[in-house]
Amino acid sequence: MPFAHVNGQKLYYEDTGGNGPAIVFSHGLLMDSAMFAPQVEALRGTWRCITWDERGHGQTADPAQCEPFSYYDSANDLAALLAHLGVQQAVLAGMSQGGYLSLRCALTHPEIVRALVLIDTQALQEDPAKMAGHEVLMKAWLEGGLSDEIAAVVAHVILGDDWPGTPQWQAKWRTFTVPNLMQCFTTLGSRDDISDRLGSITVPALVVHGTLDHAIDLSRAQAMADALPHARMVEIPGGGHASNLTHPEPVNAALLEFVRALP
């Protein structure tokens, strides 16, 4: 299996290869690289598609431990992975947590960023009211394991209701260990507000957001799009937090239109 030993990490990744321009997909909290299968399928052949598992997630995770990290560390992981693969510049596509690290990568490694695709994400810290609910949920999960009730709530927040692929992801969530779960949630809650720095990100940006995203209000995505100098916003009707996974057709249509127009 492909692992990159970079930046003090052992990062799992998949790379379609080829000579096409590169796009790298970064997943959200509790997800992994597989969540971008619909986008890779739509772009492969023309684009070099790279997906990876972030710290504490998927095949990158060490079940026994997860050292403290910030999304700036994750941004450095991404930059190091691209360097390892010989990619000098790429489109960075990130969903939620993947957007947090992609934005920070654009701030700290601007030379490697061709454009941004920001899916159901934001530049702000967590909404305090939503964070309080997340904390209650996470405490119950950490103390008693992932019950069917908690798994249903997590699925509602991330995947919406009655999506056929939900059981597969709930099974993955049951494999999370306490060290990884605790640190990844701590990183989420302790991140900084970068909304006042968005004006310095001058690459083209596509902001995609589900109209039924229960984790991040649509208004926060719109504010981010308004603050980025060269961004446009696309709403996904009925889409939830992982709109690229549950509503791939409209997301892929917006994505393809955006990347085809890049200089």
Side-chain angles (χ1 to χ4, degrees), residues 17 50 98 115 121 224 243 259:
I50 301 161
T121 191
M224 178 177 64
S243 62
V259 297

Side-chain angles (χ1 to χ4, degrees), residues 180-257:
N180 287 294
L181 198 58
M182 285 184 65
Q183 184 53 57
C184 291
F185 187 69
T186 298
T187 300
L188 176 83
S190 62
R191 73 180 187 275
D192 57 336
D193 177 355
I194 58 170
S195 57
D196 62 347
R197 302 173 65 189
L198 295 180
S200 66
I201 300 175
T202 57
V203 296
L206 172 67
V207 176
V208 177
H209 210 86
T211 59
L212 297 182
D213 187 337
H214 299 301
I216 300 173
D217 291 342
L218 186 66
S219 61
R220 290 183 164 225
Q222 185 63 64
M224 178 177 64
D226 292 342
L228 288 164
H230 302 291
R232 71 182 184 91
M233 174 92 171
V234 174
E235 297 182 13
I236 305 301
H241 191 46
S243 62
N244 68 290
L245 184 59
T246 61
H247 292 67
E249 292 83 4
V251 172
N252 286 352
L255 176 60
L256 286 166
E257 180 183 0

Side-chain angles (χ1 to χ4, degrees), residues 7 9 12 23 25 30 37-38 41 53 95 108-109 122 146 155 163 175 195 212 224 251-252:
N7 201 32
Q9 304 299 309
Y12 175 79
I23 180 168
F25 295 95
L30 305 180
E41 184 62 29
D53 291 347
M95 175 265 171
T108 56
H109 301 278
Q122 61 182 327
L146 186 65
W163 183 60
T175 68
S195 57
L212 297 182
M224 178 177 64
V251 172
N252 286 352

Side-chain angles (χ1 to χ4, degrees), residues 24 72 75-76 78-80 82 87-92 101-116 197-204 228-229:
V24 56
Y72 292 100
N76 292 338
L78 176 54
L82 292 178
V87 176
Q88 294 185 346
Q89 195 173 58
V91 174
L92 308 189
L101 73 89
S102 294
L103 283 167
R104 285 161 178 79
C105 193
L107 290 170
T108 56
H109 301 278
E111 71 283 352
I112 69 172
V113 183
R114 182 180 179 189
L116 288 169
R197 302 173 65 189
L198 295 180
S200 66
I201 300 175
T202 57
V203 296
L228 288 164

